[in-house]
Amino acid sequence: MPAAEVSSGPAAAPLTWLYVPADRPDRIGKALGGEADMVIVDLEDAVAPENKGVARAGVVALLATPQPRVEVRVNDVARRTARPTCTRSGRCCTAAAACASPGGVGRR
């Protein structure tokens, strides 16, 4: 099938997904200026624990206006790991992103 047929129409599935660390607004802007079909702003593994607060605030600011090409990747709230802050961080990240954009939050 030709590429034009695959990507035409409003309901076409995104073909390219670009993950960007949520604590790097310069990279988020560059990604949004690029040609990726979807930009995934990553609040999970791409952000060091000490930068999570700043990253969450940046996501809220980014999503203050509609961003149809943006989704937010958050920590799995139920995940159990050696790091006891994961569950708490996951809840904070999910809450920050959900408050800003209820339709654009997910786990990948």
Side-chain angles (χ1 to χ4, degrees), residues 75-88:
N75 288 17
D76 184 351
V77 175
R79 182 171 68 180
R80 303 273 186 235
T81 68
R83 296 180 309 177
T85 59
C86 285
T87 300
R88 189 173 341 119

Side-chain angles (χ1 to χ4, degrees), residues 18 29 63-65 73-75 82 85 89 94:
L18 181 60
L63 298 178
T65 58
R73 179 178 184 237
V74 297
N75 288 17
T85 59
S89 179
T94 302

Side-chain angles (χ1 to χ4, degrees), residues 19-88:
Y19 284 73
V20 183
D23 62 344
R24 295 295 307 267
D26 56 322
R27 290 187 184 177
I28 296 169
K30 187 173 180 178
L32 289 170
E35 295 183 16
D37 293 323
M38 190 64 63
V39 174
I40 310 301
V41 179
D42 192 350
L43 276 168
E44 190 176 86
D45 299 325
V47 179
E50 62 270 14
N51 295 338
K52 295 271 187 194
V54 171
R56 285 190 288 266
V59 167
V60 170
L62 172 69
L63 298 178
T65 58
Q67 300 289 336
R69 294 177 46 221
V70 172
E71 286 197 16
V72 179
R73 179 178 184 237
V74 297
N75 288 17
D76 184 351
V77 175
R79 182 171 68 180
R80 303 273 186 235
T81 68
R83 296 180 309 177
T85 59
C86 285
T87 300
R88 189 173 341 119

